[in-house]
Amino acid sequence: MKSKGICYLVGTGPGDPGLLTLKGKDCIEAADVLVYDYLCNPEFLRFARPEAEKIYVGKKARDHTKTQDEINEIIVKLAREGKVVTRLKGGDPVLFGRGAEEAGELANAGVRFEIVPGITSAIAGPAYAGIPVTHREHCSQLTIFTGHEDPTKPETSLDYEKLAKADGTKVFLMGVERIDEITSQLIKHGAAATTPMALVRWATLGRQQTLVATLGTMAAKVKETGFKAPAVAVVGDVVTERDKINWFESRPLFGRRIVVTRTRHQAGALTKKLAALGADVIELPTIRIEEPHNRMAFGELVQDAHTYDWIVFTSPNGVDAFFKMFYKLYNDAREIGGVKIAVIGPGTADKVREQHLTVDLMPEKDFVAEGLVKAFKDHHNIENSTILWVRAEEAREVIANELTGMGGIVDEAIAYRTVPEKEDNLEALARLKEEGADMITFTSSSTVEHFLDLGVALPAGIKIASIGPVTSATIKKRGLKVDVSAKEHTIPGLVAAIEKFYA
Ligand code: SAH
């Protein structure tokens, strides 16, 4: 019988999550086991099935978590066991990625495999720094070489004489640590010391950094600035194009490191918007959403939802939890009946509309509990109306108190609770400690409370951005200052305020 075991050797591109191929994504989704290393963006692991096994095999220069032989052994063994193994590699798998060696091992072992090409940092890295590796006005040849050779080889296999004489653009990878030797060898063999040169670090990511100099001055500049790997080096006249087409680094939030503290599940929308403006986003989830303590009570209220005059939703999470329960109980959307729906703000309204339901009431501008109460006061007489308020376990009591005060009969359906995130943020915490950040965003009081409860020291000078007055009050209550507050209390409102702050 033929085994279904297979190994996909997938290039994940240089880092920007948008630069993974569709086929690469398919392979991640199909994997039983993912084997990944240092330069592969860990975000991609999110495409994997939750039960997929994840094996980190490391590999920074000098810090080989697993040797190449061990990696070969792992992928052969797992595929032989009949598993779908997806081996993720930064950039393209066969450009200085040892993908060919792994393919060779798989072939020797008689294991099925496929190579899924990726976008290489050798071309994309310079492009994200505004440097095209070829240009009709500058050159028609590109040479790519490695600065880090097999340390077991006694002599260098790089022929600097030929490299120095090669026309056109030269790109080299893994060269920061030997920059002095490489540049001086090229000059010694005849390359002009005045040739423009750039190094692009963490290319295509929010934390990209570019250093521009010449072949003759780069080594000193690296030393002086403490510039570190991983970086791609590009040498040639094309570097001057950067003056004109440096698109990536000129976006409004480029160079700003911003922390997002929402749940992992919800962070996406905010992260994407900030990243699209060029920010380097650290997702540090401080909270997680869990089922309420009393699921049974919640289920009973959801079951009776159609008997109420109004359902009031005060958060997107509440809408999610409500309909998750609703469709466990019913399999016909009409069971919701003719109940009217009120929401606290646009984010919550979007969630309701995702269910193909219309929102009957929303505040005009103040997207907080008080705003919703005012909207009821302005537009509806709710005396003797029955109202089901779908809420978090730890919500403020404004809605219940005020609506009851107006004669409404309010039942409270506790849909979820917010608990501190303890596992999913260790890597982000380490990055925050090591690299600091320019700004931290809070999108609810619970993100503030739980972040501060982590006991992490806020980096000196960090700015604090808040989505609205309730969150701001919590920030102040905990002794901190709000630097940026959203005019409109929504995610787009928060992003707009941050952009304005840095403009
Ligand atoms: N197969 C990869 C290269 C692997 S070798 C590719 O096609 O891109 C590892 C080297 O690639 C690093 O030392 C660095 O020189 C370069 N590199 C990979 N990703 C990079 C990135 N995002 N920014 C800058 N350099 C990168």
Side-chain angles (χ1 to χ4, degrees), residues 14-15 39 90-97 119-122 172-175 200-205 229-232:
L39 284 172
D92 181 273
V94 295
L95 188 82
F96 305 132
I119 292 179
T120 177
S121 64
F172 57 94
L173 304 182
M174 298 176 276
V200 193
R201 175 172 198 251
W202 287 122
T204 79
L205 290 161
V232 33

Side-chain angles (χ1 to χ4, degrees), residues 38-326:
Y38 169 62
L39 284 172
C40 146
N41 191 333
E43 284 214 10
F44 297 132
L45 300 177
R46 270 195 253 164
F47 296 132
R49 290 179 293 127
E51 66 274 20
E53 189 188 345
K54 299 175 185 102
I55 303 177
Y56 176 67
V57 293
K59 258 199 179 177
K60 279 192 215 183
R62 288 204 212 98
D63 150 41
H64 287 230
T65 312
K66 290 254 188 307
T67 65
Q68 189 61 45
D69 286 343
E70 287 168 327
I71 296 172
N72 295 346
E73 235 168 76
I74 290 172
I75 58 177
V76 167
K77 177 172 164 285
L78 291 168
R80 272 200 172 142
E81 286 169 9
K83 300 212 164 98
V84 175
V85 182
T86 299
R87 167 77 171 112
L88 301 175
K89 288 170 165 292
D92 181 273
V94 295
L95 188 82
F96 305 132
R98 306 184 79 161
E101 289 166 50
E102 293 177 19
E105 288 293 324
L106 292 159
N108 284 341
V111 172
R112 283 196 303 146
F113 67 92
E114 289 185 18
I115 296 176
V116 181
I119 292 179
T120 177
S121 64
I123 295 175
Y128 268 57
I131 303 166
V133 290
T134 72
H135 190 298
R136 278 201 307 159
E137 280 165 26
H138 297 295
C139 65
S140 50
Q141 184 173 324
L142 166 66
T143 307
I144 301 177
F145 64 98
T146 168
H148 172 89
E149 294 175 272
D150 188 341
T152 59
K153 281 192 211 159
E155 273 174 51
T156 175
S157 65
L158 285 175
D159 185 337
Y160 281 106
E161 172 125 36
K162 279 196 188 134
L163 279 174
K165 297 221 162 70
D167 277 333
T169 308
K170 298 173 191 50
V171 167
F172 57 94
L173 304 182
M174 298 176 276
V176 178
E177 284 167 5
R178 293 179 54 220
I179 198 77
D180 204 351
E181 187 187 339
I182 296 168
T183 51
S184 43
Q185 285 287 342
L186 288 173
I187 293 169
K188 190 175 133 198
H189 288 93
T194 52
T195 317
M197 172 170 188
L199 285 175
V200 193
R201 175 172 198 251
W202 287 122
T204 79
L205 290 161
R207 52 172 149 163
Q208 172 173 313
Q209 280 174 332
T210 305
L211 196 62
V212 179
T214 62
L215 197 56
T217 58
M218 186 56 98
K221 205 157 177 184
V222 165
K223 208 179 253 158
E224 185 190 305
T225 55
F227 198 88
K228 296 242 156 38
V232 33
V234 51
V235 183
D237 289 339
V238 287
V239 170
T240 58
E241 288 297 312
R242 175 176 158 86
D243 299 339
K244 229 184 318 180
I245 60 170
N246 181 18
W247 60 279
F248 184 73
E249 295 172 15
S250 52
R251 294 168 311 155
L253 295 182
F254 183 81
R256 309 287 181 190
R257 193 171 304 126
I258 302 181
V259 183
V260 167
T261 53
R262 311 186 90 192
T263 64
R264 180 70 81 194
H265 176 69
Q266 283 188 307
L270 179 55
T271 300
K272 264 211 182 113
K273 285 198 164 73
L274 293 173
L277 291 168
D280 177 14
V281 181
I282 301 185
E283 268 188 21
L284 193 159
T286 55
I287 52 173
R288 204 153 31 98
I289 300 304
E290 291 209 337
E291 306 222 308
H293 281 111
N294 194 343
R295 263 187 91 225
M296 186 103 111
F298 177 53
E300 280 165 10
L301 287 163
V302 173
Q303 188 160 25
D304 292 342
H306 63 275
T307 65
Y308 287 83
D309 296 313
W310 286 93
I311 302 179
V312 173
F313 290 112
T314 45
S315 71
N317 285 321
V319 181
D320 281 344
F322 179 91
F323 284 101
K324 197 169 152 206
M325 179 60 85
F326 184 83

